[in-house]
Amino acid sequence: MWGLQPFYIPWYWYPCSTVFGSFFERWPLNKLELGMPRLGLLHTGIVLLLTLITELFLKQLGLDLFTTTTGPTFAAIWTTVGLGFVWQFNMWPFTELSQPTKGIVASIASLIISVFLYLVTVFLVGQENIIQGLYWWFNILWVQVFLMAPGLYDGISLWQDVPPLVEEQQPLSLNSEGR
């Protein structure tokens, strides 16, 4: 827009926030007892830091995440794999692990699987046509979001502190003595 090269950081905010957030189940932020806006600002800073760490790690593998369509394609694959662990498998086989071990092991596993699937995608469509792979993975991701997401897993504690919508009611009695 201003004559600059494309810059794809926003593609990475979502998987870093959602995938890492789900794998770590808000650990250690849930231990801090911070209110808003401090908790939100801290979360934003952590997501930005995780984005940069992910970029540095994957750049060593030849995946340039910020300046090519490689970034969006890998982000779509990683999000699909991460949400698959969370929604379809409810964090199996990591369910018995405690934090932070669960988050670390699940993150490493999802990144390894995602790199493999990225290489398969490049093999199938070619690097010059990687945008087709991006669209293919976005299709899978959106099917996953629309068909599998509602209510299957609450790794980021969206619903844990919500009061019940319907109060329990006592059964109606036909006599005045409650019998």
Side-chain angles (χ1 to χ4, degrees):
M1 191 166 173
W2 298 313
L4 300 174
Q5 293 294 322
F7 201 63
Y8 292 111
I9 286 180
W11 293 88
Y12 264 77
W13 293 341
Y14 182 79
C16 283
S17 179
T18 305
V19 175
F20 284 142
S22 295
F23 288 172
F24 283 91
E25 299 167 332
R26 294 191 325 172
W27 178 92
L29 298 179
N30 58 352
K31 308 270 188 227
L32 297 179
E33 298 181 17
L34 293 175
M36 291 296 179
R38 291 185 297 165
L39 184 60
L41 293 171
L42 180 61
H43 179 265
T44 300
I46 290 170
V47 167
L48 291 174
L49 178 65
L50 288 172
T51 300
L52 294 174
I53 290 170
T54 303
E55 157 65 5
L56 292 173
F57 168 73
L58 293 174
K59 195 165 188 160
Q60 301 305 310
L61 299 174
L63 298 173
D64 187 0
L65 305 179
F66 288 169
T67 59
T68 67
T69 51
T70 300
T73 304
F74 187 81
I77 293 169
W78 183 33
T79 305
T80 302
V81 169
L83 294 179
F85 275 149
V86 173
W87 291 334
Q88 280 87 8
F89 295 99
N90 202 24
M91 290 303 289
W92 177 88
F94 315 111
T95 53
E96 300 301 318
L97 299 175
S98 61
Q99 293 298 353
T101 304
K102 179 194 283 186
I104 293 168
V105 172
S107 296
I108 291 170
S110 74
L111 287 170
I112 290 170
I113 293 168
S114 298
V115 168
F116 172 75
L117 290 173
Y118 176 81
L119 294 173
V120 169
T121 303
V122 169
F123 176 78
L124 292 175
V125 301
Q127 188 65 47
E128 65 281 352
N129 297 318
I130 197 64
I131 198 75
Q132 292 173 1
L134 170 63
Y135 292 134
W136 191 76
W137 282 103
F138 267 135
N139 287 334
I140 294 171
L141 179 60
W142 283 112
V143 167
Q144 184 180 38
V145 167
F146 287 121
L147 298 179
M148 296 301 293
L152 293 180
Y153 180 76
D154 190 21
I156 54 176
S157 304
L158 294 175
W159 303 286
Q160 290 182 4
D161 297 328
V162 177
L165 297 176
V166 179
E167 295 286 327
E168 286 190 34
Q169 297 178 354
Q170 298 297 323
L172 294 175
S173 172
L174 298 176
N175 62 31
S176 61
E177 296 174 8
R179 292 187 257 181

mmCIF file of all heavy atoms in Angstrom, residues 91-125:
data_model
loop_
_atom_site.group_PDB
_atom_site.id
_atom_site.type_symbol
_atom_site.label_atom_id
_atom_site.label_comp_id
_atom_site.label_asym_id
_atom_site.label_seq_id
_atom_site.Cartn_x
_atom_site.Cartn_y
_atom_site.Cartn_z
ATOM 1 N N MET A 91 -6.915 -32.860 23.298
ATOM 2 C CA MET A 91 -5.530 -32.846 23.790
ATOM 3 C C MET A 91 -4.942 -34.242 24.010
ATOM 4 O O MET A 91 -3.900 -34.378 24.627
ATOM 5 C CB MET A 91 -5.376 -31.995 25.050
ATOM 6 C CG MET A 91 -5.515 -30.509 24.798
ATOM 7 S SD MET A 91 -4.360 -29.848 23.589
ATOM 8 C CE MET A 91 -2.820 -29.938 24.477
ATOM 9 N N TRP A 92 -5.593 -35.291 23.508
ATOM 10 C CA TRP A 92 -4.985 -36.604 23.550
ATOM 11 C C TRP A 92 -3.821 -36.605 22.577
ATOM 12 O O TRP A 92 -3.942 -36.039 21.504
ATOM 13 C CB TRP A 92 -5.998 -37.674 23.143
ATOM 14 C CG TRP A 92 -5.388 -39.043 23.104
ATOM 15 C CD1 TRP A 92 -5.287 -39.917 24.126
ATOM 16 C CD2 TRP A 92 -4.775 -39.665 21.980
ATOM 17 N NE1 TRP A 92 -4.642 -41.052 23.711
ATOM 18 C CE2 TRP A 92 -4.309 -40.917 22.389
ATOM 19 C CE3 TRP A 92 -4.542 -39.285 20.663
ATOM 20 C CZ2 TRP A 92 -3.650 -41.796 21.534
ATOM 21 C CZ3 TRP A 92 -3.885 -40.150 19.821
ATOM 22 C CH2 TRP A 92 -3.453 -41.390 20.266
ATOM 23 N N PRO A 93 -2.705 -37.137 22.868
ATOM 24 C CA PRO A 93 -2.302 -38.008 23.971
ATOM 25 C C PRO A 93 -1.639 -37.260 25.127
ATOM 26 O O PRO A 93 -0.928 -37.853 25.920
ATOM 27 C CB PRO A 93 -1.303 -38.951 23.299
ATOM 28 C CG PRO A 93 -0.627 -38.083 22.278
ATOM 29 C CD PRO A 93 -1.694 -37.131 21.798
ATOM 30 N N PHE A 94 -1.889 -35.963 25.228
ATOM 31 C CA PHE A 94 -1.209 -35.133 26.217
ATOM 32 C C PHE A 94 -2.045 -34.853 27.457
ATOM 33 O O PHE A 94 -1.637 -34.089 28.322
ATOM 34 C CB PHE A 94 -0.800 -33.801 25.584
ATOM 35 C CG PHE A 94 -0.166 -33.953 24.236
ATOM 36 C CD1 PHE A 94 -0.820 -33.516 23.100
ATOM 37 C CD2 PHE A 94 1.062 -34.564 24.109
ATOM 38 C CE1 PHE A 94 -0.248 -33.674 21.848
ATOM 39 C CE2 PHE A 94 1.650 -34.723 22.866
ATOM 40 C CZ PHE A 94 0.996 -34.279 21.735
ATOM 41 N N THR A 95 -3.232 -35.442 27.566
ATOM 42 C CA THR A 95 -4.179 -35.090 28.625
ATOM 43 C C THR A 95 -3.653 -35.342 30.034
ATOM 44 O O THR A 95 -4.028 -34.630 30.961
ATOM 45 C CB THR A 95 -5.507 -35.848 28.448
ATOM 46 O OG1 THR A 95 -5.226 -37.242 28.333
ATOM 47 C CG2 THR A 95 -6.248 -35.373 27.226
ATOM 48 N N GLU A 96 -2.813 -36.336 30.223
ATOM 49 C CA GLU A 96 -2.334 -36.668 31.572
ATOM 50 C C GLU A 96 -1.134 -35.819 32.002
ATOM 51 O O GLU A 96 -0.722 -35.895 33.163
ATOM 52 C CB GLU A 96 -1.968 -38.154 31.647
ATOM 53 C CG GLU A 96 -3.132 -39.083 31.333
ATOM 54 C CD GLU A 96 -4.323 -38.883 32.263
ATOM 55 O OE1 GLU A 96 -4.118 -38.712 33.483
ATOM 56 O OE2 GLU A 96 -5.464 -38.873 31.758
ATOM 57 N N LEU A 97 -0.584 -35.034 31.103
ATOM 58 C CA LEU A 97 0.574 -34.207 31.443
ATOM 59 C C LEU A 97 0.123 -32.953 32.182
ATOM 60 O O LEU A 97 -0.950 -32.426 31.923
ATOM 61 C CB LEU A 97 1.332 -33.812 30.178
ATOM 62 C CG LEU A 97 1.898 -34.952 29.339
ATOM 63 C CD1 LEU A 97 2.510 -34.399 28.054
ATOM 64 C CD2 LEU A 97 2.926 -35.737 30.128
ATOM 65 N N SER A 98 0.951 -32.472 33.098
ATOM 66 C CA SER A 98 0.641 -31.227 33.797
ATOM 67 C C SER A 98 1.359 -30.070 33.106
ATOM 68 O O SER A 98 2.277 -30.276 32.320
ATOM 69 C CB SER A 98 1.058 -31.328 35.267
ATOM 70 O OG SER A 98 2.454 -31.553 35.361
ATOM 71 N N GLN A 99 0.922 -28.863 33.406
ATOM 72 C CA GLN A 99 1.543 -27.677 32.826
ATOM 73 C C GLN A 99 2.846 -27.372 33.553
ATOM 74 O O GLN A 99 2.937 -27.602 34.735
ATOM 75 C CB GLN A 99 0.600 -26.473 32.915
ATOM 76 C CG GLN A 99 -0.617 -26.595 32.081
ATOM 77 C CD GLN A 99 -0.322 -26.702 30.582
ATOM 78 O OE1 GLN A 99 0.793 -26.559 30.113
ATOM 79 N NE2 GLN A 99 -1.364 -26.990 29.830
ATOM 80 N N PRO A 100 3.849 -26.913 32.919
ATOM 81 C CA PRO A 100 3.954 -26.512 31.521
ATOM 82 C C PRO A 100 4.363 -27.639 30.577
ATOM 83 O O PRO A 100 4.460 -27.412 29.382
ATOM 84 C CB PRO A 100 5.022 -25.429 31.547
ATOM 85 C CG PRO A 100 5.962 -25.865 32.619
ATOM 86 C CD PRO A 100 5.065 -26.513 33.673
ATOM 87 N N THR A 101 4.584 -28.844 31.099
ATOM 88 C CA THR A 101 5.016 -29.966 30.254
ATOM 89 C C THR A 101 4.018 -30.218 29.133
ATOM 90 O O THR A 101 4.410 -30.418 27.977
ATOM 91 C CB THR A 101 5.208 -31.245 31.109
ATOM 92 O OG1 THR A 101 6.125 -30.958 32.157
ATOM 93 C CG2 THR A 101 5.727 -32.385 30.268
ATOM 94 N N LYS A 102 2.718 -30.200 29.443
ATOM 95 C CA LYS A 102 1.692 -30.432 28.422
ATOM 96 C C LYS A 102 1.818 -29.417 27.294
ATOM 97 O O LYS A 102 1.808 -29.777 26.117
ATOM 98 C CB LYS A 102 0.296 -30.348 29.028
ATOM 99 C CG LYS A 102 -0.815 -30.561 28.001
ATOM 100 C CD LYS A 102 -2.180 -30.146 28.512
ATOM 101 C CE LYS A 102 -2.751 -31.164 29.453
ATOM 102 N NZ LYS A 102 -4.143 -30.838 29.849
ATOM 103 N N GLY A 103 1.947 -28.155 27.641
ATOM 104 C CA GLY A 103 2.040 -27.112 26.626
ATOM 105 C C GLY A 103 3.294 -27.229 25.778
ATOM 106 O O GLY A 103 3.250 -27.055 24.555
ATOM 107 N N ILE A 104 4.407 -27.529 26.411
ATOM 108 C CA ILE A 104 5.672 -27.640 25.680
ATOM 109 C C ILE A 104 5.639 -28.838 24.731
ATOM 110 O O ILE A 104 5.967 -28.716 23.542
ATOM 111 C CB ILE A 104 6.858 -27.743 26.666
ATOM 112 C CG1 ILE A 104 7.023 -26.426 27.420
ATOM 113 C CG2 ILE A 104 8.147 -28.117 25.939
ATOM 114 C CD1 ILE A 104 7.966 -26.505 28.614
ATOM 115 N N VAL A 105 5.252 -30.005 25.234
ATOM 116 C CA VAL A 105 5.225 -31.219 24.409
ATOM 117 C C VAL A 105 4.214 -31.078 23.268
ATOM 118 O O VAL A 105 4.509 -31.423 22.114
ATOM 119 C CB VAL A 105 4.931 -32.459 25.281
ATOM 120 C CG1 VAL A 105 4.705 -33.697 24.429
ATOM 121 C CG2 VAL A 105 6.068 -32.696 26.265
ATOM 122 N N ALA A 106 3.027 -30.573 23.563
ATOM 123 C CA ALA A 106 2.008 -30.397 22.523
ATOM 124 C C ALA A 106 2.471 -29.382 21.472
ATOM 125 O O ALA A 106 2.232 -29.573 20.272
ATOM 126 C CB ALA A 106 0.679 -29.969 23.137
ATOM 127 N N SER A 107 3.138 -28.311 21.896
ATOM 128 C CA SER A 107 3.636 -27.299 20.955
ATOM 129 C C SER A 107 4.683 -27.892 20.025
ATOM 130 O O SER A 107 4.631 -27.693 18.801
ATOM 131 C CB SER A 107 4.229 -26.105 21.707
ATOM 132 O OG SER A 107 3.231 -25.460 22.459
ATOM 133 N N ILE A 108 5.639 -28.619 20.581
ATOM 134 C CA ILE A 108 6.685 -29.227 19.766
ATOM 135 C C ILE A 108 6.083 -30.242 18.799
ATOM 136 O O ILE A 108 6.409 -30.255 17.608
ATOM 137 C CB ILE A 108 7.773 -29.861 20.660
ATOM 138 C CG1 ILE A 108 8.547 -28.753 21.386
ATOM 139 C CG2 ILE A 108 8.717 -30.739 19.842
ATOM 140 C CD1 ILE A 108 9.479 -29.262 22.469
ATOM 141 N N ALA A 109 5.171 -31.078 19.295
ATOM 142 C CA ALA A 109 4.533 -32.076 18.427
ATOM 143 C C ALA A 109 3.757 -31.409 17.296
ATOM 144 O O ALA A 109 3.847 -31.834 16.135
ATOM 145 C CB ALA A 109 3.609 -32.974 19.247
ATOM 146 N N SER A 110 3.009 -30.351 17.611
ATOM 147 C CA SER A 110 2.218 -29.686 16.573
ATOM 148 C C SER A 110 3.115 -29.012 15.545
ATOM 149 O O SER A 110 2.805 -29.008 14.351
ATOM 150 C CB SER A 110 1.242 -28.682 17.185
ATOM 151 O OG SER A 110 1.907 -27.525 17.636
ATOM 152 N N LEU A 111 4.232 -28.450 15.987
ATOM 153 C CA LEU A 111 5.155 -27.814 15.041
ATOM 154 C C LEU A 111 5.815 -28.849 14.135
ATOM 155 O O LEU A 111 5.959 -28.628 12.927
ATOM 156 C CB LEU A 111 6.196 -26.984 15.782
ATOM 157 C CG LEU A 111 5.667 -25.677 16.370
ATOM 158 C CD1 LEU A 111 6.706 -25.047 17.294
ATOM 159 C CD2 LEU A 111 5.281 -24.706 15.270
ATOM 160 N N ILE A 112 6.211 -29.985 14.680
ATOM 161 C CA ILE A 112 6.828 -31.042 13.862
ATOM 162 C C ILE A 112 5.832 -31.561 12.829
ATOM 163 O O ILE A 112 6.155 -31.692 11.640
ATOM 164 C CB ILE A 112 7.361 -32.183 14.755
ATOM 165 C CG1 ILE A 112 8.574 -31.699 15.548
ATOM 166 C CG2 ILE A 112 7.712 -33.415 13.919
ATOM 167 C CD1 ILE A 112 9.031 -32.653 16.643
ATOM 168 N N ILE A 113 4.611 -31.849 13.259
ATOM 169 C CA ILE A 113 3.580 -32.328 12.331
ATOM 170 C C ILE A 113 3.287 -31.273 11.272
ATOM 171 O O ILE A 113 3.127 -31.581 10.084
ATOM 172 C CB ILE A 113 2.301 -32.730 13.099
ATOM 173 C CG1 ILE A 113 2.579 -33.961 13.953
ATOM 174 C CG2 ILE A 113 1.123 -32.956 12.153
ATOM 175 C CD1 ILE A 113 1.493 -34.274 14.969
ATOM 176 N N SER A 114 3.236 -30.007 11.685
ATOM 177 C CA SER A 114 2.936 -28.919 10.745
ATOM 178 C C SER A 114 4.045 -28.738 9.716
ATOM 179 O O SER A 114 3.762 -28.484 8.537
ATOM 180 C CB SER A 114 2.695 -27.613 11.506
ATOM 181 O OG SER A 114 1.581 -27.753 12.353
ATOM 182 N N VAL A 115 5.306 -28.835 10.131
ATOM 183 C CA VAL A 115 6.417 -28.744 9.181
ATOM 184 C C VAL A 115 6.314 -29.884 8.168
ATOM 185 O O VAL A 115 6.465 -29.677 6.960
ATOM 186 C CB VAL A 115 7.785 -28.752 9.904
ATOM 187 C CG1 VAL A 115 8.931 -28.964 8.924
ATOM 188 C CG2 VAL A 115 7.988 -27.455 10.680
ATOM 189 N N PHE A 116 6.030 -31.092 8.644
ATOM 190 C CA PHE A 116 5.863 -32.230 7.744
ATOM 191 C C PHE A 116 4.728 -31.972 6.744
ATOM 192 O O PHE A 116 4.879 -32.188 5.537
ATOM 193 C CB PHE A 116 5.600 -33.513 8.544
ATOM 194 C CG PHE A 116 5.234 -34.683 7.693
ATOM 195 C CD1 PHE A 116 6.197 -35.350 6.947
ATOM 196 C CD2 PHE A 116 3.911 -35.107 7.610
ATOM 197 C CE1 PHE A 116 5.850 -36.416 6.136
ATOM 198 C CE2 PHE A 116 3.561 -36.174 6.805
ATOM 199 C CZ PHE A 116 4.535 -36.834 6.067
ATOM 200 N N LEU A 117 3.571 -31.502 7.236
ATOM 201 C CA LEU A 117 2.437 -31.239 6.351
ATOM 202 C C LEU A 117 2.732 -30.084 5.387
ATOM 203 O O LEU A 117 2.258 -30.081 4.246
ATOM 204 C CB LEU A 117 1.171 -30.968 7.164
ATOM 205 C CG LEU A 117 0.613 -32.184 7.895
ATOM 206 C CD1 LEU A 117 -0.542 -31.786 8.797
ATOM 207 C CD2 LEU A 117 0.190 -33.262 6.907
ATOM 208 N N TYR A 118 3.516 -29.109 5.835
ATOM 209 C CA TYR A 118 3.920 -28.027 4.938
ATOM 210 C C TYR A 118 4.778 -28.593 3.797
ATOM 211 O O TYR A 118 4.568 -28.262 2.626
ATOM 212 C CB TYR A 118 4.686 -26.942 5.686
ATOM 213 C CG TYR A 118 5.189 -25.869 4.758
ATOM 214 C CD1 TYR A 118 4.343 -24.855 4.340
ATOM 215 C CD2 TYR A 118 6.493 -25.895 4.275
ATOM 216 C CE1 TYR A 118 4.790 -23.880 3.454
ATOM 217 C CE2 TYR A 118 6.940 -24.924 3.392
ATOM 218 C CZ TYR A 118 6.089 -23.926 2.984
ATOM 219 O OH TYR A 118 6.520 -22.981 2.105
ATOM 220 N N LEU A 119 5.735 -29.467 4.133
ATOM 221 C CA LEU A 119 6.594 -30.067 3.104
ATOM 222 C C LEU A 119 5.771 -30.920 2.135
ATOM 223 O O LEU A 119 6.024 -30.906 0.922
ATOM 224 C CB LEU A 119 7.704 -30.884 3.757
ATOM 225 C CG LEU A 119 8.720 -30.069 4.572
ATOM 226 C CD1 LEU A 119 9.679 -30.996 5.305
ATOM 227 C CD2 LEU A 119 9.456 -29.069 3.698
ATOM 228 N N VAL A 120 4.781 -31.642 2.648
ATOM 229 C CA VAL A 120 3.887 -32.419 1.782
ATOM 230 C C VAL A 120 3.103 -31.473 0.862
ATOM 231 O O VAL A 120 2.944 -31.742 -0.337
ATOM 232 C CB VAL A 120 2.933 -33.300 2.621
ATOM 233 C CG1 VAL A 120 1.822 -33.894 1.760
ATOM 234 C CG2 VAL A 120 3.711 -34.393 3.334
ATOM 235 N N THR A 121 2.630 -30.369 1.409
ATOM 236 C CA THR A 121 1.887 -29.388 0.615
ATOM 237 C C THR A 121 2.757 -28.823 -0.498
ATOM 238 O O THR A 121 2.317 -28.718 -1.649
ATOM 239 C CB THR A 121 1.346 -28.258 1.517
ATOM 240 O OG1 THR A 121 0.526 -28.829 2.533
ATOM 241 C CG2 THR A 121 0.536 -27.245 0.722
ATOM 242 N N VAL A 122 3.997 -28.456 -0.172
ATOM 243 C CA VAL A 122 4.924 -27.941 -1.190
ATOM 244 C C VAL A 122 5.182 -29.009 -2.252
ATOM 245 O O VAL A 122 5.209 -28.715 -3.451
ATOM 246 C CB VAL A 122 6.244 -27.459 -0.552
ATOM 247 C CG1 VAL A 122 7.300 -27.174 -1.612
ATOM 248 C CG2 VAL A 122 6.010 -26.231 0.302
ATOM 249 N N PHE A 123 5.331 -30.252 -1.821
ATOM 250 C CA PHE A 123 5.554 -31.341 -2.774
ATOM 251 C C PHE A 123 4.363 -31.483 -3.726
ATOM 252 O O PHE A 123 4.532 -31.685 -4.927
ATOM 253 C CB PHE A 123 5.812 -32.659 -2.030
ATOM 254 C CG PHE A 123 5.958 -33.844 -2.926
ATOM 255 C CD1 PHE A 123 7.133 -34.072 -3.615
ATOM 256 C CD2 PHE A 123 4.898 -34.724 -3.094
ATOM 257 C CE1 PHE A 123 7.260 -35.163 -4.464
ATOM 258 C CE2 PHE A 123 5.015 -35.829 -3.936
ATOM 259 C CZ PHE A 123 6.200 -36.039 -4.624
ATOM 260 N N LEU A 124 3.153 -31.368 -3.194
ATOM 261 C CA LEU A 124 1.947 -31.577 -4.001
ATOM 262 C C LEU A 124 1.634 -30.407 -4.934
ATOM 263 O O LEU A 124 1.204 -30.620 -6.068
ATOM 264 C CB LEU A 124 0.746 -31.856 -3.101
ATOM 265 C CG LEU A 124 0.779 -33.183 -2.344
ATOM 266 C CD1 LEU A 124 -0.403 -33.282 -1.391
ATOM 267 C CD2 LEU A 124 0.794 -34.361 -3.308
ATOM 268 N N VAL A 125 1.791 -29.168 -4.460
ATOM 269 C CA VAL A 125 1.405 -28.008 -5.278
ATOM 270 C C VAL A 125 2.594 -27.237 -5.828
ATOM 271 O O VAL A 125 2.425 -26.420 -6.721
ATOM 272 C CB VAL A 125 0.463 -27.047 -4.506
ATOM 273 C CG1 VAL A 125 -0.800 -27.749 -4.076
ATOM 274 C CG2 VAL A 125 1.165 -26.393 -3.340
#
